[in-house]
Amino acid sequence: MKKIASLLSALLLLGACDYLDIVPDDVATLDHAFTDAVSAERYLLNCYAGLPTEGDPRYNPAFLGSDEFWFPRNDTRWSEFSNHYAPANILFSLQSSNNPSLNYYEGRNSAKGLWKTIRKCNIFLNKVPTIDNLSVLNRSRWIAEAKTIKAYCFFYLVRMYGPIPIVDYEVDVDATPEELRFERNTFEECITYITDLIDDAAPSLPLFISKRREELGRFTQPAAYMLKAKTLILAASPQFNDNSYYHDFTGKNGKVLFGPKDDNRWIAARDACKEAIAICVDAGIDGLYEYSNDGTLNAAAAMEHTIRGSITDEQWSKELILGGGTNSSEFLQRTTMARFSRDTYQGAQPTTLSVALSFINKFYTNKGIPTEEDPDWSGKNLYALREPVGGELDYITATNPEFNFDREPRFYAAIGFNRGTWYGNGSVGTTPHTLRAYIGEEANLQGDAVYMSTTGIFAKKMNNMKNETLKAGTSIQNYPFPVMRLADLYLLYAECINEVEGPTDEAKGYINQVRWRAGLDDVDTSWARSTNPNKPNTRDGLRDIIQRERTIELAFEGHRFWDVRRWMKLEAEMNHNISAWNIKGRTAEEYFQEVIKYRPTLQIKDYLWPMRLELLTINPNLKQTKGW
């Protein structure tokens, strides 16, 4: 009782201490959680449950905070859905230090409290050695998992807030208020802490999951080593490596939080990527996903099955390094599906997430190069209409603008558009649906604007082929959302090689593996047909190619939001007109007209999250993020 009374006093003094949730609120029951192996594993799984929900656009800022998706803030009942789509506030420049959206630091505004998860991991690490009936193998593995969960939470917080406090122990319940007022560690200390945690934990993690039904989604060696690589790449990238904006970002008493530029960081990141790829090979993750075609599908259909299957295969594909839970993709699928029948029950399928027309022009032409570098596209009227002929009918079934013709396979596999083909919804064989989206048609029923795409474009890539819209409801085939996959790792490795060694054959080779899977020629062959044929042979040129390749290959998966920040390209990439097709059109001439929806005005302060102002009053040792 004395300890509980002391704890309550400290909580009252610190406003319930929700700013850094490291003191347990369940002291009386903690001992019961570690009486045996079964209860201890249950506690570990509860630590896993405290990780960010990566595949849900309501909780992951990278979906609606980027220019890929458009949430119809001014077109539908925004007030009704605003709590679900708080991440859009970031794109709309409505982020606030009074009450930050998706506040993962404290666990507010739809975000989980990652400090609470870290606290649970610290408790677990302190308690699990006391369990008598726990095997040596499980004890070692579970400790490693708890450390990796901690490392993931610290990585997530550093990526959002920059330098943060490091709390590596279970804080005593008798801690005084002053002992709980932690300050930011330096950025270098945070990165070293994360990578040291992973180095310590990874060898004790399983190489792969053998009990697939029970344990898929738990950390393995490949996932841990890729997390280390991502952490070191974050540290090496321009956002945090000699960013002049942060030179005067200091902590308490003027402590400098960022050190000088260090080119060796790219070397460490390159080596970490190489190590992660080697571990993946050992675990059987040794190639990119390809759909097994039994000969019944034509080339276009087989390619769409491959590209969509690399994301949506419900069987945990060979490319997947770390996936979310079995239901982690359901909401994302429900809000991005197109409707193919007027009888579909609308309430089960709120198609509220649309794809921006302005974004999909990032995809290559059929030469595997950007539209602005393809000589055949020079001076082309992108809105001129024409009819599909021959092989074009595999992708487009009726009148469309030049914008949608002569594109790479990933464009047609990832994007759903009016009079474009769509495999799925009961048709997974050789005959696709035609998406019909003129006003009043199945995919554009505007009687209730919440249940339609307000840009006329759909994220087809994120939908499993077996999904089906039915009169009684929508049938969803869930898949583990790809938090980490091999194509991402290949492109990260290529990026690191280029920064260290320049445009080598090895760097191009890893890019080419991603391109070949997508039905494209290699980098050198493709750019030889461009207006800039020497581009792949310079460091700056190959860097641009890698960044564009990541934008396309990883579209709609939550990477672009973070990539443009670490590349220091937030304003250049995001502050442009976000546009759509005219979804009120009844004919091709009316419909295929560009309509401007919004133009973001993001600033340099938007690279990082603000700390809530009340939190800074409670803890004066914690400095506000620069710019806020």
Side-chain angles (χ1 to χ4, degrees):
M1 289 298 296
K2 179 180 178 182
K3 284 189 174 183
I4 294 175
S6 299
L7 172 62
L8 288 174
S9 298
L11 295 181
L12 288 171
L13 285 170
L14 292 176
C17 199
D18 60 355
Y19 68 92
L20 191 56
D21 196 355
I22 58 173
V23 177
D25 51 12
D26 48 4
V27 176
T29 61
L30 274 178
D31 289 338
H32 296 291
F34 296 95
T35 55
D36 55 36
V38 173
S39 58
E41 187 174 25
R42 187 178 300 119
Y43 193 94
L44 176 62
L45 296 178
N46 192 253
C47 293
Y48 271 105
L51 288 171
T53 308
E54 301 274 26
D56 194 316
R58 294 170 293 184
Y59 312 120
N60 185 344
F63 287 107
L64 292 174
S66 176
D67 62 344
E68 298 165 285
F69 285 108
W70 170 251
F71 178 76
R73 179 174 176 237
N74 298 318
D75 301 312
T76 66
R77 301 194 302 262
W78 164 259
S79 59
E80 179 180 339
F81 288 90
S82 59
N83 289 336
H84 285 177
Y85 300 101
N89 287 331
I90 297 168
L91 186 68
F92 297 142
S93 296
L94 297 176
Q95 182 64 288
S96 167
S97 57
N98 289 320
N99 193 22
S101 294
L102 282 182
N103 182 351
Y104 275 98
Y105 198 92
E106 301 176 83
R108 300 167 65 95
N109 283 347
S110 301
K112 295 179 181 179
L114 295 188
W115 280 113
K116 179 177 286 187
T117 305
I118 292 170
R119 182 205 81 196
K120 289 179 179 178
C121 290
N122 285 336
I123 291 171
F124 182 87
L125 292 169
N126 196 35
K127 297 287 187 183
V128 77
T130 66
I131 301 173
D132 293 329
N133 65 338
L134 183 59
S135 71
V136 174
L137 183 62
N138 276 343
R139 192 189 310 274
S140 175
R141 177 189 171 182
W142 294 357
I143 288 173
E145 288 182 89
K147 289 180 178 179
T148 310
I149 294 169
K150 278 179 61 178
Y152 195 96
C153 290
F154 272 100
F155 165 76
Y156 207 91
L157 288 171
V158 168
R159 191 170 58 170
M160 294 181 75
Y161 296 94
I164 61 170
I166 295 175
V167 183
D168 191 34
Y169 56 90
E170 180 185 349
V171 177
D172 192 277
V173 292
D174 287 324
T176 65
E178 185 57 38
E179 290 173 323
L180 296 175
R181 292 184 177 128
F182 297 95
E183 60 180 290
R184 291 181 189 252
N185 284 75
T186 68
F187 180 78
E188 289 78 8
E189 288 169 343
C190 292
I191 296 299
T192 299
Y193 176 69
I194 295 168
T195 55
D196 284 351
L197 269 176
I198 297 170
D199 285 341
D200 186 41
S204 297
L205 293 170
L207 191 59
F208 54 85
I209 298 297
S210 55
K211 298 179 181 178
R212 295 174 64 84
R213 182 180 295 273
E214 297 89 358
E215 296 184 352
L216 278 176
R218 291 171 66 165
F219 279 110
T220 59
Q221 288 186 34
Y225 282 108
M226 185 170 177
L227 176 59
K228 178 182 176 180
K230 287 168 66 72
T231 301
L232 291 172
I233 289 168
L234 183 71
S237 296
Q239 181 185 6
F240 294 121
N241 196 5
D242 197 32
N243 181 352
S244 60
Y245 181 70
Y246 295 143
H247 282 176
D248 61 351
F249 186 6
T250 60
K252 185 182 179 183
N253 298 325
K255 178 176 65 176
V256 176
L257 296 180
F258 290 91
K261 183 178 182 181
D262 185 357
D263 291 331
N264 289 326
R265 290 184 186 179
W266 279 115
I267 297 174
R270 178 202 61 186
D271 294 346
C273 285
K274 184 175 182 179
E275 183 179 29
I277 290 172
I279 293 294
C280 284
V281 171
D282 290 344
I285 309 171
D286 55 0
L288 302 180
Y289 174 94
E290 287 192 35
Y291 179 76
S292 180
N293 185 10
D294 59 6
T296 60
L297 300 181
N298 62 32
M303 181 57 69
E304 180 161 330
H305 279 66
T306 286
I307 293 170
R308 289 173 64 182
S310 68
I311 306 301
T312 67
D313 191 314
E314 65 272 18
Q315 300 302 318
W316 195 280
S317 78
K318 64 176 291 186
E319 184 175 340
L320 191 58
I321 297 173
L322 180 66
T326 55
N327 295 325
S328 61
S329 63
E330 180 173 357
F331 188 82
L332 178 62
Q333 293 193 81
R334 288 190 183 278
T335 53
T336 55
M337 285 177 64
R339 185 180 294 103
F340 296 95
S341 170
R342 290 178 171 277
D343 294 330
T344 301
Y345 172 56
Q346 292 184 336
Q349 187 201 332
T351 308
T352 49
L353 296 188
S354 310
V355 175
L357 172 64
S358 43
F359 171 74
I360 65 174
N361 202 36
K362 292 285 186 181
F363 284 79
Y364 295 140
T365 70
N366 56 6
K367 291 189 180 69
I369 53 180
T371 58
E372 61 270 21
E373 297 180 42
D374 189 330
D376 291 341
W377 283 61
S378 178
K380 178 183 285 191
N381 179 1
L382 297 183
Y383 305 104
L385 300 177
R386 68 178 173 95
E387 301 298 317
V389 296
E392 294 170 344
L393 290 165
D394 291 332
Y395 308 104
I396 304 172
T397 62
T399 307
N400 253 257
E402 290 282 1
F403 185 97
N404 290 336
F405 283 93
D406 302 321
R407 293 286 191 160
E408 61 154 309
R410 285 177 297 191
F411 179 92
Y412 298 111
I415 307 299
F417 56 88
N418 189 14
R419 268 46 185 185
T421 56
W422 185 303
Y423 290 92
N425 204 65
S427 173
V428 296
T430 58
T431 306
H433 290 281
T434 293
L435 196 154
R436 293 161 45 84
Y438 292 129
I439 188 170
E441 293 184 326
E442 299 92 307
N444 189 0
L445 295 173
Q446 297 195 19
D448 188 343
V450 170
Y451 302 107
M452 58 177 235
S453 166
T454 54
T455 65
I457 307 169
F458 299 79
K460 178 168 57 170
K461 170 184 171 182
M462 308 311 293
N463 283 264
N464 185 282
M465 294 280 188
K466 297 177 183 177
N467 291 350
E468 193 167 2
T469 55
L470 305 167
K471 186 172 183 178
T474 301
S475 174
I476 299 290
Q477 175 62 62
N478 284 311
Y479 59 85
F481 179 81
V483 180
M484 300 180 190
R485 64 182 179 99
L486 195 57
D488 178 16
L489 181 55
Y490 281 174
L491 294 174
L492 289 174
Y493 186 37
E495 181 177 353
C496 293
I497 294 172
N498 185 56
E499 295 302 328
V500 176
E501 306 169 37
T504 66
D505 288 342
E506 185 181 19
K508 294 177 186 178
Y510 279 95
I511 305 169
N512 289 338
Q513 289 192 57
V514 176
R515 291 173 63 86
W516 289 332
R517 193 264 298 276
L520 300 177
D521 288 330
D522 62 78
V523 168
D524 287 327
T525 300
S526 295
W527 258 267
R529 302 189 292 257
S530 78
T531 57
N532 190 4
N534 195 49
K535 186 173 184 177
N537 300 319
T538 68
R539 178 180 274 111
D540 289 345
L542 192 62
R543 181 188 299 123
D544 185 67
I545 290 170
I546 292 168
Q547 292 179 359
R548 186 68 163 258
E549 196 70 41
R550 286 187 61 80
T551 298
I552 297 168
E553 174 65 26
L554 304 174
F556 315 134
E557 298 176 50
H559 294 276
R560 178 167 165 79
F561 178 92
W562 302 110
D563 276 346
V564 298
R565 282 166 168 78
R566 68 180 182 84
W567 295 331
M568 286 299 293
K569 289 188 172 183
L570 176 65
E571 301 98 320
E573 288 287 328
M574 293 294 159
N575 291 346
H576 59 78
N577 289 333
I578 293 177
S579 59
W581 293 125
N582 174 28
I583 60 171
K584 297 183 179 180
R586 300 182 181 275
T587 65
E589 290 76 10
E590 294 174 351
Y591 184 95
F592 291 113
Q593 297 290 328
E594 185 175 19
V595 176
I596 306 303
K597 290 289 188 180
Y598 184 71
R599 186 181 181 90
T601 55
L602 296 170
Q603 306 173 48
I604 195 166
K605 70 175 184 177
D606 294 306
Y607 279 79
L608 294 176
W609 256 249
M611 298 289 185
R612 191 168 60 97
L613 291 178
E614 185 178 351
L615 156 63
L616 302 180
T617 301
I618 296 170
N619 179 12
N621 288 344
L622 191 65
K623 286 287 292 289
Q624 177 62 285
T625 306
K626 185 174 181 188
W628 294 97

